[in-house]
Amino acid sequence: MTTKTLLLALGLTTALCNTALANDRYGDRPPVIVSPDLAAPWVMQLAGPNGRSAATVRQYRQPQNDRQQADQPRVIYREQAQPRPVRRGIFDRGQPRTQQVAMRPNAPARSRIDPQFLPQMVAYDTKEKAGTLVIDTNNRFLYLVMADGQARRYGVGVGKPGFEWAGEHKVTRKAEWPSWIPPQEMISREAAKGHYLPARMDGGPENPLGARALYLGSTLYRIHGTNAPWTIGSAVSSGCIRMRNEDVTDLYGRVDVGTKVIVM
């Protein structure tokens, strides 16, 4: 064998060994780490036909055969870290947060009258003769004086602050389901508040004078019913004495024109 032939064989042997070593060295290819930053343009190219990015896939599917495994690198997908909850302060300007607001409950409307303001017979010591009406505005009671130290007591509504009054009068007129003609003073006073009263209102259930009225002398005041019975026991009127419709109807049948009325 010539020297030339030996050198050729030696070179061929060396090349084959180097190829084998190279194949062994890169037989297990290093993994490719995919960045969780899905905004990177090169990562967007990994999106599949359904539009999902490869970085969002949680399970890697192995190649179907060894040839594919030899041709493709092994890829490990790193899941995108979940964002940590942001703790906002009271002065942060972000998305509005739903908060429970402490609401003050609405005051319950009075639908029942206090039992003390219902008609009842009571002991009443007075020098006034039977048949006299005595109105105690401080305690919100009207007394019809009876014989033997007794009186029939009714609950009433009286004048609000600034409209209190006292005096002695007589019943000068009685009316059933009276019409209401507001005094000019009341019309002007309410107009200043933005409330416009009618010049006249016929009697009926909606009329603020209620079912009956007892007119007191030449004054603008009356003892009358009301379509707001829950106001009995309160200081709410413009000076008139209010009673429940059933109570003023009862009183109406017990007193006559000329009856003495004491307001104190």
Side-chain angles (χ1 to χ4, degrees):
M1 182 179 295
T2 62
T3 302
K4 184 177 180 181
T5 303
L6 290 174
L7 292 176
L8 181 61
L10 180 61
L12 181 60
T13 302
T14 302
L16 293 175
C17 290
N18 290 338
T19 303
L21 291 175
N23 289 336
D24 292 340
R25 182 177 180 181
Y26 296 105
D28 187 11
R29 301 187 181 186
V32 176
I33 306 300
V34 179
S35 170
D37 184 6
L38 301 183
W42 66 270
V43 177
M44 297 302 294
Q45 298 175 6
L46 298 177
N50 59 355
R52 295 180 60 191
S53 173
T56 62
V57 179
R58 295 188 177 183
Q59 183 177 2
Y60 168 69
R61 295 184 179 181
Q62 297 290 338
Q64 297 179 357
N65 50 53
D66 294 340
R67 183 176 181 180
Q68 290 180 343
Q69 185 174 7
D71 294 340
Q72 297 181 3
R74 181 165 56 91
V75 181
I76 298 177
Y77 297 102
R78 179 180 299 167
E79 295 186 6
Q80 185 174 2
Q82 295 295 327
R84 300 180 65 180
V86 179
R87 302 180 63 181
R88 294 186 174 91
I90 60 174
F91 298 106
D92 290 343
R93 296 182 179 271
Q95 294 294 332
R97 293 180 297 169
T98 302
Q99 297 180 352
Q100 293 184 351
V101 181
M103 300 295 292
R104 179 179 296 179
N106 294 330
R110 286 178 53 184
S111 58
R112 296 183 179 180
I113 188 171
D114 190 319
Q116 68 172 325
F117 297 120
L118 296 176
Q120 52 194 291
M121 294 297 298
V122 297
Y124 190 69
D125 185 16
T126 180
K127 297 179 180 180
E128 301 296 334
K129 65 179 182 179
T132 302
L133 297 179
V134 180
I135 301 173
D136 181 353
T137 56
N138 288 332
N139 294 310
R140 319 300 200 243
F141 292 128
L142 180 150
Y143 296 91
L144 171 59
V145 179
M146 311 290 283
D148 302 325
Q150 298 289 309
R152 185 169 180 81
R153 191 182 75 183
Y154 304 86
V156 296
V158 300
K160 56 191 173 183
F163 293 87
E164 306 96 334
W165 64 281
E168 182 178 321
H169 299 280
K170 290 184 178 181
V171 175
T172 54
R173 186 165 75 91
K174 298 169 59 178
E176 298 182 9
W177 294 105
S179 59
W180 180 45
I181 301 177
Q184 187 58 47
E185 295 87 344
M186 180 182 292
I187 293 177
S188 300
R189 183 172 62 249
E190 294 301 318
K193 301 176 184 178
H195 305 153
Y196 298 95
L197 302 179
R200 184 181 185 278
M201 179 182 290
D202 292 335
E206 301 300 323
N207 192 302
L209 295 186
R212 304 289 187 271
L214 305 175
Y215 295 81
L216 304 179
S218 59
T219 70
L220 298 175
Y221 304 124
R222 293 155 292 229
I223 301 171
H224 63 78
T226 179
N227 53 16
W230 56 86
T231 62
I232 300 303
S234 303
V236 292
S237 75
S238 295
C240 289
I241 306 302
R242 295 183 181 183
M243 302 178 70
R244 295 193 311 163
N245 279 334
E246 51 267 51
D247 295 345
V248 75
T249 299
D250 178 76
L251 181 66
Y252 185 92
R254 295 175 183 270
V255 301
D256 298 322
V257 173
T259 296
K260 183 180 179 180
V261 179
I262 300 173
V263 180
M264 60 182 185

